[in-house]
């Protein structure tokens, strides 16, 4: 191989490497951040928690329907938990933005995605910057019932079926819904919100009844009356193993969960 050919090859290779590096920074990472925002619970976990995250402030926006406002105790617990594990400044904004006529009385199956995208479009004020700005968490407090399965329930409005309703859901990297009208007891609210925060931080469900990530806490009654409440005690904190994982995420340098 002649020297000039080799030189050309080196120049082409170097150009290619630089182009790929630039594309990763300018296109790939912002695209990922944008994609995660829409699709993947847990994919922002290290962006929220890592001390190497480019974001120094977490903005929590809570929009609620009239009468569905979170309790001060729950807001305090949320803020305290996020501050503790992220080491970042946490700003919480509360807005009674959601009008009753924006939300159907019952939401079925995957309609939840369509309806909440619309609610976000109309009401969300803070969004995550694509490197720079703040990272945001969006929480909706709704007065509706979410029937996860597309089945035909008779008496569906009155919980006569033994099918459980969900009291909370995390449906994107940065978006939570609390179905406050479905909560059987007020003291469950903090537990449900921290459970959903656990999903935002990448936790799946466990089967231990005393664990905050137990899915059973999303099942709240087996009939229509308050006497049918099946849980009377709710965990209010993460387990030691989960706390360890959150501390690990704080130390992690892998701020994009590309291989989750
Ligand atoms: Zn869950």
């Amino acid at each position: 191989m002649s020297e000039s050919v080799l030189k050309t090859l080196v120049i082409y290779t170097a150009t290619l490497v630089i182009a790929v590096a630039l594309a990763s920074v300018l296109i790939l990472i912002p695209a990922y951040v944008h994609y995660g925002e829409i699709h993947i619970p847990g994919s922002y976990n290290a962006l929220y928690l890592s001390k190497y995250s480019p974001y120094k402030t977490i903005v929590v926006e809570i929009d609620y329907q009239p009468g569905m406002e979170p309790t001060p105790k729950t807001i305090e617990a949320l803020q305290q938990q996020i501050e503790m594990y992220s080491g970042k400044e946490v700003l919480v904004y509360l807005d009674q933005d959601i009008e009753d006529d924006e939300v159907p009385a019952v939401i079925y199956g995957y309609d939840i995605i369509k309806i909440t995208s619309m609610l976000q479009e109309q009401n969300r004020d803070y969004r995550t910057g694509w490197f720079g700005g703040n990272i945001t968490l969006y929480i909706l407090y709704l007065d509706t019932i979410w029937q996860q399965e597309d089945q035909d329930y008779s008496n569906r409005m009155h919980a006569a079926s033994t099918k459980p309703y969900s009291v909370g859901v995390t449906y994107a990297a940065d978006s939570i819904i609390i179905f406050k009208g479905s909560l059987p007891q007020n003291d469950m609210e903090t537990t449900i919100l921290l459970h959903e925060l656990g999903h935002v931080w990448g936790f799946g469900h466990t089967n231990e009844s005393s664990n905050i990530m137990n899915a059973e806490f999303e099942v709240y009654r087996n009939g229509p009356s308050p006497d049918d409440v099946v849980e009377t005690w709710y965990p209010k904190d993460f387990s030691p193993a989960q706390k360890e994982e959150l501390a690990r995420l704080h130390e992690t340098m892998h701020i994009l969960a590309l291989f989750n």
Side-chain angles (χ1 to χ4, degrees):
M1 202 183 285
S2 81
E3 200 176 303
S4 71
V5 171
L6 194 69
K7 207 166 147 190
T8 310
L9 209 66
V10 167
I11 290 168
Y12 271 102
T13 308
T15 310
L16 191 70
V17 167
I18 291 166
V20 168
L22 268 177
S24 308
V25 172
L26 298 176
I27 302 166
L28 225 61
I29 293 175
Y32 175 80
V33 168
H34 185 62
Y35 183 80
E37 182 182 306
I38 306 167
H39 295 280
I40 318 159
S43 61
Y44 277 11
N45 58 1
L47 283 177
Y48 283 119
L49 298 173
S50 168
K51 62 184 181 189
Y52 302 103
S53 159
Y55 302 105
K56 298 300 164 220
T57 301
I58 300 175
V59 173
V60 181
E61 177 180 351
I62 305 176
D63 289 347
Y64 58 95
Q65 261 177 278
M68 294 295 114
E69 188 170 356
T71 62
K73 208 173 121 195
T74 298
I75 297 167
E76 197 190 312
L78 178 76
Q79 182 157 16
Q80 187 258 338
Q81 293 279 319
I82 300 176
E83 273 172 1
M84 182 165 61
Y85 293 111
S86 69
K88 301 184 199 310
E89 179 189 28
V90 177
L91 304 174
V92 179
Y93 296 110
L94 269 176
D95 256 318
Q96 189 185 299
D97 271 349
I98 313 292
E99 306 285 342
D100 283 339
D101 60 10
E102 285 183 87
V103 185
V106 185
I107 300 172
Y108 299 102
Y110 287 108
D111 283 357
I112 194 86
I113 301 291
K114 200 173 64 200
I115 290 160
T116 48
S117 310
M118 211 175 60
L119 289 174
Q120 286 212 27
E121 191 133 315
Q122 284 162 5
N123 302 289
R124 186 169 182 174
D125 296 319
Y126 301 93
R127 285 182 186 275
T128 298
W130 280 12
F131 266 81
N134 303 320
I135 187 163
T136 59
L137 176 64
Y138 187 63
I139 304 173
L140 282 165
Y141 265 69
L142 300 183
D143 187 13
T144 182
I145 287 167
W146 179 36
Q147 286 278 15
Q148 291 188 46
E149 298 162 58
D150 290 311
Q151 288 175 15
D152 187 30
Y153 297 92
S154 51
N155 273 324
R156 51 174 71 118
M157 292 293 293
H158 305 288
S161 99
T162 55
K163 295 283 179 187
Y165 295 144
S166 199
V167 288
V169 64
T170 302
Y171 61 98
D174 66 347
S175 307
I176 291 170
I177 306 171
I178 301 298
F179 301 98
K180 178 143 177 168
S182 297
L183 290 173
Q185 289 165 313
N186 252 347
D187 73 344
M188 194 185 188
E189 186 187 327
T190 303
T191 297
I192 298 306
L193 191 52
L194 294 185
H195 173 105
E196 300 309 334
L197 188 63
H199 286 313
V200 169
W201 288 342
F203 294 147
H205 287 146
T206 69
N207 292 321
E208 308 151 54
S209 62
S210 62
N211 193 298
I212 201 160
M213 294 312 294
N214 182 1
E216 287 296 301
F217 296 108
E218 290 167 333
V219 178
Y220 74 92
R221 41 171 87 155
N222 55 13
S225 109
D227 297 336
D228 296 322
V229 167
V230 291
E231 289 291 343
T232 52
W233 175 85
Y234 310 105
K236 299 224 168 33
D237 203 355
F238 296 101
S239 70
Q242 286 159 342
K243 288 178 181 178
E244 224 168 86
E245 170 62 9
L246 294 172
R248 191 194 66 76
L249 283 166
H250 184 62
E251 297 296 326
T252 190
M253 291 190 77
H254 302 283
I255 56 167
L256 297 184
L258 286 172
F259 303 103
N260 259 1

